[in-house]
Amino acid sequence: MASDGFRPLDEKALIEYIKATPTLALKLGNRFDDLQIKEVGDGNLNFVYIVIGPSGSFVIKQALPYIRCIGESWPMTKERAYFEARALKEHGRLCPDHVPEVYHFDRTMCLIGMRYIEPPHIILRKGFIAGIEYPLLAEHIAEYMARTLFYTSLLYLTTTEHKRAVTEFCGNVELCRLTEQVVFSDPYKVSQYNRCTSPYLDEDAKAVREDNILKLEVAGLKSMFCERAQALIHGDLHTGSVMVTPNSTQVIDPEFAFYGPMGFDIGAFIGNLILAYFSQNGHADDKNDRKAYKVWILKTIADTWNLFDKNFTALWDENKDGPGEAFLPEIYNNEEVHLMVKQRYMRDLLHDTLGFGAAKMIRRIVGVAHVEDFESIAEPAKRADCERKALKFAKRLLKERRQFQSIEEVVSAIEQPQP
Amino acid sequence: MASDGFRPLDEKALIEYIKATPTLALKLGNRFDDLQIKEVGDGNLNFVYIVIGPSGSFVIKQALPYIRCIGESWPMTKERAYFEARALKEHGRLCPDHVPEVYHFDRTMCLIGMRYIEPPHIILRKGFIAGIEYPLLAEHIAEYMARTLFYTSLLYLTTTEHKRAVTEFCGNVELCRLTEQVVFSDPYKVSQYNRCTSPYLDEDAKAVREDNILKLEVAGLKSMFCERAQALIHGDLHTGSVMVTPNSTQVIDPEFAFYGPMGFDIGAFIGNLILAYFSQNGHADDKNDRKAYKVWILKTIADTWNLFDKNFTALWDENKDGPGEAFLPEIYNNEEVHLMVKQRYMRDLLHDTLGFGAAKMIRRIVGVAHVEDFESIAEPAKRADCERKALKFAKRLLKERRQFQSIEEVVSAIEQPQP
Ligand SMILES: Nc1ncnc2c1ncn2[C@@H]1O[C@H](COP(=O)(O)OP(=O)(O)O)[C@@H](O)[C@H]1O
Ligand SMILES: Nc1ncnc2c1ncn2[C@@H]1O[C@H](COP(=O)(O)OP(=O)(O)O)[C@@H](O)[C@H]1O
Ligand SMILES: [Mg+2]
Ligand SMILES: [Mg+2]
Ligand SMILES: [Mg+2]
Ligand SMILES: [Mg+2]
Ligand SMILES: [Mg+2]
């Protein structure tokens, strides 16, 4: 045990821990016979145990003081568990339908006990690879993003509440730095951690490092990420942080949460949908050419933004006489100006979203952490072909994002052959 | 005495306080005979005592828990003294030539002891009213702004240092809220505190409240003020916060300091120069038509920005291999991209500066706190005429700021007859 009382748990130690922790023991009805414990951490950073007893279940997530997929050579504060628990509780309060409940948090042990998101839920990214349609996905994620982002922004909070919350989440600085490195820096320089489908994409990766316009644009996004405390963002909202069935959408893993730009979350999600789209040709086979599925992904991209816009501006309308201090009722509640400020806000947010989305795409192709959408395409030449198309589109999106007036224009651009 | 140990001092109590405080007593060589104490707080918020003994001197500034010029009916945290002391020390460390040294800080008493900025120093605003030229002003203030803003931004700091500092200054939220109210809100709505040169400017004030484009633009600036932690800004850098002689420039009164947008400081200063310019016709008389002086003010406006730009980008060049995490050397140190990012950064900063400068001008004409530049014009019709020209220019600047490519273009626009 470390001097701070922390110890990494294995399955055996976990059982002892559960027995000694009344909240958790109670969740299992205090019955520990036939306990099934399974470590399922397929993620990059942490250890996740599914615990199922005869009369109850939960998930235990523990942060260790390094990055799991790299190992102890890349240390990372285990305090991230604290921010994950805080964000799960805050986002869960704002959007209980789409966030697992936190049952237990132990700061010393960097350990969260939360609702087990049961089968048939799977990780959304795996659903995309399998070619499964989720008719409610866009609606659900739009609701999640609208509620969590709106209610933690100055559209709803007073400056006092907002600055207090910003202060707290400034503590999650090590995770912010990790994002700065892997999203905004490493892909644009030679780094030991970068990978790409070599040799096919070697030249493309080099071109990214030598593209001054791209680097100029990415610098602006990085500054925004570092400086702009717009709302309590999830911070890692890719399709691996979402678990789904056709009827349910659950968002997990907000350990990167802090007050940052809203577009970083919306962009992460939409950018990963676009990656899923470009990976489909690699998954097409005799039984399924994936053509209809690609149409559904494009529809989901458009619906996600449009429903987000609808939900978000509806919350704004509902709360325009509320406590939020960004737009005081006495100044902004005449119809014309209310509409003007909303349109400006949503246009800027779309552009931020496209910029961050593009940056998230690029880093998944030439940076350290790749996505299963492409990785699961066995044949390297085919994979490289999909990745190159995605990369080309992302570069264009990053540079030209301010020219897009609507998500429909973005969807059209995705469909065009990438030059 | 309040239960927290705080008590407002009068001259008599101040003498006892000094005698009981070794640092201060020592500054006077422990000689208390013939002490001269004079309260000179001509500012809006606090009490300021000049203390002169036979072998030493200093200034004592104490914050009371309300706004002095309004009275106890407008409470305001006295904790602002803590942030003023912190900012004086930090900015003083970065730019000792232009910031008075802090000798003593008493958090309980909300009291700062600092260097007495001796005569012939006067408040810059009074110099402008008197028509005095300060040949080194632009150079000095440009150095002050460049050093304080550069070294507290991510161009020089690591994310870790930056977020720690942001956290601390989030505590100055009440002063931020005061700015939000008096700069970004009250002028755009009916407020009990608003004043204008009535009846002359009544219609102009009403037009401000009904100008939707103006309100749209001001909303964007307010969001930036609330959300963007770009650097440790002074927060109240008008010409009443600067004391000058022809050879010396000293910046006082950073009680509004926090991590905010750089353009707010640069804009405050330049906006107040523009107000000084538009007030000159009201000070012209038979002996002095102020024509040459107006030319000097315009030159000072241009020099301030251009020298700021020069100093700031020089610091950037010097430190491009330094600790700052915004632009990593491996990505941004090829000559072409280094130039591109600097140009983009400075262009955006100019536009922020013009926007905030315009907002600061507007609030001084139709908001609660007016400036002596205009107030000292005895004849209301003449004063209103000066103010109206300034207001017209400010509205144009706020709306069209992104069209200006250089400060020279701004200066030309100031000189043109206001339509
Ligand atoms: N509440 C939960 N219910 C069911 N499975 C979960 C839950 N939380 C995590 N998992 C599983 O564990 C995996 C890793 O969890 P995640 O929170 O993403 O960890 P990491 O931070 O390491 O990426 C997920 O991909 C998912 O399969
Ligand atoms: N260090 C100083 N040396 C000389 N005079 C000072 C000093 N600090 C403040 N003053 C005088 O006191 C006045 C009010 O100080 P200031 O710090 O601006 O207070 P406030 O916060 O109330 O505006 C200034 O205008 C200046 O005349
Ligand atoms: Mg994960
Ligand atoms: Mg994670
Ligand atoms: Mg003052
Ligand atoms: Mg000097
Ligand atoms: Mg002051």
Side-chain angles (χ1 to χ4, degrees):
Chain A
M1 194 195 295
S3 63
D4 61 2
F6 174 82
R7 57 204 159 88
L9 294 179
D10 55 19
E11 293 185 17
K12 191 157 154 283
L14 180 57
I15 298 180
E16 295 315 307
Y17 181 88
I18 293 167
K19 286 182 180 167
T21 306
T23 356
L24 294 177
L26 200 65
K27 272 279 160 206
L28 300 178
N30 283 306
R31 293 183 52 193
F32 311 108
D33 47 308
D34 285 331
L35 264 196
Q36 295 171 42
I37 300 197
K38 204 171 127 196
E39 209 280 315
V40 295
D42 65 340
N44 291 324
L45 267 70
N46 303 288
F47 288 81
V48 176
Y49 299 89
I50 293 174
V51 179
I52 304 179
S55 34
S57 66
F58 48 75
V59 154
I60 295 288
K61 179 169 179 179
Q62 187 176 38
L64 266 52
Y66 54 84
I67 293 179
R68 180 182 183 167
C69 67
I70 306 276
E72 302 195 31
S73 66
W74 193 334
M76 186 49 55
T77 178
K78 54 189 167 46
E79 270 293 286
R80 62 187 186 265
Y82 169 76
F83 295 101
E84 177 162 356
R86 283 287 292 114
L88 279 172
K89 286 181 203 170
E90 182 67 4
H91 285 173
R93 186 177 67 77
L94 296 169
C95 192
D97 287 355
H98 304 299
V99 179
E101 197 186 337
V102 174
Y103 300 143
H104 170 71
F105 176 61
D106 181 335
R107 191 160 187 177
T108 304
M109 292 290 279
C110 307
L111 180 154
I112 302 169
M114 71 182 107
R115 175 158 57 81
Y116 172 38
I117 302 168
E118 293 181 33
H121 282 94
I122 60 169
I123 288 288
L124 174 56
R125 197 184 294 289
K126 294 188 189 289
F128 281 135
I129 296 166
I132 304 168
E133 295 188 14
Y134 295 95
L136 299 177
L137 175 63
E139 189 181 315
H140 287 167
I141 206 79
E143 187 189 1
Y144 165 82
M145 295 192 303
R147 295 184 64 84
T148 57
L149 299 177
F150 178 84
Y151 284 114
T152 60
S153 77
L154 283 164
L155 294 171
Y156 185 76
L157 298 181
T158 65
T159 295
T160 309
E161 296 164 329
H162 183 255
K163 283 228 194 297
R164 193 185 306 127
V166 170
T167 302
E168 179 174 9
F169 281 91
C170 273
N172 205 14
V173 55
E174 283 202 43
L175 280 274
C176 290
R177 292 192 76 192
L178 180 55
T179 299
E180 287 168 41
Q181 177 180 346
V182 301
V183 177
F184 299 108
S185 299
D186 281 355
Y188 304 92
K189 67 193 205 27
V190 174
S191 159
Q192 58 164 316
Y193 297 113
N194 287 345
R195 310 190 285 111
C196 71
T197 300
S198 188
Y200 306 92
L201 287 186
D202 289 349
E203 282 306 309
D204 304 80
K206 185 156 172 277
V208 167
R209 295 194 298 270
E210 292 174 355
D211 188 332
N212 287 341
I213 307 277
L214 202 65
K215 297 202 287 189
L216 175 68
E217 290 299 333
V218 119
L221 292 169
K222 183 179 177 185
S223 288
M224 203 194 297
F225 181 82
C226 293
E227 292 174 351
R228 185 168 185 198
Q230 195 178 17
L232 178 60
I233 66 174
H234 178 286
D236 197 23
L237 193 56
H238 58 86
T239 50
S241 297
V242 181
M243 298 187 72
V244 284
T245 69
N247 302 308
S248 163
T249 305
Q250 304 292 320
V251 178
I252 60 172
D253 197 15
E255 66 191 319
F256 286 81
F258 78 115
Y259 273 74
M262 296 178 181
F264 191 77
D265 270 6
I266 315 168
F269 189 76
I270 289 182
N272 275 270
L273 293 189
I274 304 176
L275 290 177
Y277 173 89
F278 282 109
S279 75
Q280 291 304 316
N281 286 355
H283 301 302
D285 57 26
D286 300 346
K287 285 174 306 212
N288 187 345
D289 64 7
R290 300 280 177 129
K291 282 202 175 125
Y293 194 59
K294 283 165 73 176
V295 171
W296 176 79
I297 295 178
L298 292 181
K299 178 171 157 28
T300 301
I301 291 169
D303 287 353
T304 296
W305 173 262
N306 289 329
L307 291 170
F308 168 78
D309 184 318
K310 184 168 160 245
N311 284 323
F312 190 89
T313 53
L315 290 173
W316 191 337
D317 289 345
E318 274 168 40
N319 291 282
K320 71 181 161 44
D321 297 301
E325 287 186 346
F327 299 92
L328 300 184
E330 293 155 278
I331 307 176
Y332 292 100
N333 281 5
N334 83 60
E335 233 170 271
E336 187 191 331
V337 76
H338 179 66
L339 198 66
M340 282 163 63
V341 294
K342 272 193 306 195
Q343 281 171 347
R344 171 78 67 96
Y345 197 100
M346 298 315 286
R347 185 203 66 188
D348 290 346
L349 187 49
L350 176 61
H351 293 163
D352 296 349
T353 293
L354 300 178
F356 286 120
K360 300 279 257 177
M361 290 175 68
I362 292 169
R363 75 98 157 194
R364 293 299 194 176
I365 299 166
V366 299
V368 51
H370 287 229
V371 288
E372 210 181 321
D373 310 63
F374 293 126
E375 297 296 290
S376 59
I377 302 169
E379 200 188 307
K382 199 195 256 183
R383 188 194 324 142
D385 193 51
C386 295
E387 289 177 320
R388 186 177 296 110
K389 289 201 174 81
L391 183 61
K392 280 197 170 155
F393 178 74
K395 286 169 67 171
R396 174 176 166 205
L397 193 59
L398 191 49
K399 292 178 191 177
E400 297 173 14
R401 66 188 185 276
R402 294 178 197 85
Q403 290 167 30
F404 293 96
Q405 301 298 319
S406 71
I407 194 75
E408 284 73 20
E409 290 176 21
V410 179
V411 166
S412 300
I414 298 172
E415 284 178 302
Q416 282 159 28
Q418 300 310 312
Chain B
M1 196 195 294
S3 62
D4 60 3
F6 174 82
R7 58 204 157 89
L9 293 180
D10 55 21
E11 294 185 18
K12 191 157 155 283
L14 180 56
I15 297 180
E16 295 316 308
Y17 182 88
I18 293 167
K19 287 182 180 166
T21 306
T23 356
L24 293 177
L26 200 65
K27 272 279 160 205
L28 300 178
N30 282 306
R31 293 182 53 192
F32 310 107
D33 47 307
D34 286 331
L35 265 197
Q36 295 171 40
I37 300 197
K38 205 171 127 197
E39 208 281 315
V40 293
D42 65 339
N44 290 324
L45 265 71
N46 303 288
F47 288 81
V48 176
Y49 299 89
I50 293 173
V51 179
I52 303 179
S55 35
S57 66
F58 48 75
V59 154
I60 295 289
K61 180 170 178 178
Q62 187 177 39
L64 266 54
Y66 55 84
I67 293 179
R68 179 182 184 166
C69 68
I70 306 277
E72 302 195 32
S73 67
W74 194 334
M76 186 49 55
T77 177
K78 54 188 166 45
E79 269 293 285
R80 62 188 187 264
Y82 169 77
F83 295 101
E84 177 163 355
R86 282 287 290 115
L88 279 172
K89 285 181 204 170
E90 183 67 3
H91 285 173
R93 186 176 68 75
L94 296 170
C95 193
D97 287 355
H98 303 298
V99 179
E101 196 186 338
V102 173
Y103 300 142
H104 170 72
F105 175 61
D106 181 335
R107 192 161 186 176
T108 304
M109 292 289 280
C110 306
L111 180 154
I112 300 169
M114 70 182 108
R115 175 158 58 81
Y116 171 37
I117 302 169
E118 294 181 33
H121 281 94
I122 59 169
I123 287 289
L124 174 57
R125 198 185 294 288
K126 294 188 189 289
F128 281 134
I129 296 166
I132 304 168
E133 294 187 14
Y134 295 96
L136 299 177
L137 174 64
E139 188 181 315
H140 287 169
I141 206 79
E143 187 188 1
Y144 165 82
M145 294 192 304
R147 295 184 64 84
T148 56
L149 299 177
F150 178 84
Y151 284 114
T152 59
S153 77
L154 283 164
L155 294 171
Y156 184 76
L157 298 181
T158 65
T159 296
T160 309
E161 296 164 328
H162 183 255
K163 283 228 194 295
R164 192 184 307 126
V166 170
T167 301
E168 177 174 10
F169 281 92
C170 273
N172 205 14
V173 55
E174 283 202 42
L175 280 275
C176 291
R177 293 192 75 192
L178 180 55
T179 299
E180 287 168 40
Q181 177 179 346
V182 300
V183 177
F184 298 107
S185 299
D186 281 355
Y188 304 92
K189 67 192 203 32
V190 174
S191 159
Q192 58 165 314
Y193 296 114
N194 287 345
R195 312 189 282 112
C196 71
T197 299
S198 188
Y200 305 92
L201 287 186
D202 289 350
E203 282 306 308
D204 303 81
K206 185 155 171 278
V208 167
R209 296 194 297 270
E210 292 175 355
D211 187 332
N212 286 342
I213 306 278
L214 201 66
K215 298 202 286 189
L216 174 69
E217 289 299 334
V218 118
L221 293 169
K222 184 179 178 185
S223 288
M224 202 194 299
F225 181 81
C226 293
E227 292 174 350
R228 184 167 184 200
Q230 194 178 16
L232 178 59
I233 67 175
H234 177 286
D236 197 23
L237 193 56
H238 58 83
T239 49
S241 297
V242 181
M243 297 186 73
V244 285
T245 70
N247 302 310
S248 163
T249 306
Q250 304 293 319
V251 178
I252 60 172
D253 199 13
E255 66 191 318
F256 285 81
F258 78 115
Y259 273 74
M262 295 178 182
F264 191 77
D265 270 6
I266 317 169
F269 189 76
I270 289 182
N272 274 270
L273 294 189
I274 304 176
L275 290 177
Y277 174 89
F278 282 109
S279 75
Q280 291 303 317
N281 286 354
H283 301 301
D285 57 26
D286 301 346
K287 284 174 306 208
N288 187 343
D289 64 8
R290 300 280 176 130
K291 282 202 177 128
Y293 194 59
K294 282 165 75 176
V295 171
W296 177 78
I297 295 178
L298 293 180
K299 178 172 158 23
T300 300
I301 291 169
D303 288 353
T304 295
W305 172 263
N306 288 330
L307 291 170
F308 168 78
D309 184 317
K310 184 168 161 247
N311 284 322
F312 190 88
T313 54
L315 289 173
W316 191 336
D317 289 344
E318 273 168 41
N319 290 283
K320 71 182 161 42
D321 297 302
E325 287 186 347
F327 299 91
L328 299 185
E330 292 156 279
I331 308 175
Y332 292 100
N333 281 4
N334 82 59
E335 231 171 272
E336 187 190 331
V337 76
H338 180 66
L339 197 67
M340 282 164 63
V341 293
K342 271 194 306 194
Q343 281 171 347
R344 170 79 68 96
Y345 197 99
M346 298 315 287
R347 184 204 65 188
D348 290 346
L349 187 49
L350 177 61
H351 293 162
D352 295 350
T353 294
L354 300 178
F356 285 120
K360 299 280 257 178
M361 290 175 67
I362 292 169
R363 74 98 158 194
R364 293 298 195 176
I365 299 166
V366 299
V368 50
H370 286 228
V371 287
E372 210 181 320
D373 310 63
F374 292 127
E375 295 298 289
S376 60
I377 301 169
E379 201 189 307
K382 198 194 254 183
R383 187 194 325 142
D385 193 51
C386 294
E387 290 177 319
R388 185 177 296 110
K389 289 199 174 81
L391 182 61
K392 280 198 170 154
F393 177 74
K395 286 169 67 171
R396 173 175 168 207
L397 193 60
L398 190 49
K399 292 178 192 178
E400 297 173 16
R401 65 187 184 277
R402 294 178 198 85
Q403 290 167 30
F404 292 96
Q405 301 299 319
S406 71
I407 194 75
E408 284 73 19
E409 290 176 22
V410 179
V411 166
S412 300
I414 297 172
E415 284 179 301
Q416 280 159 29
Q418 299 311 311

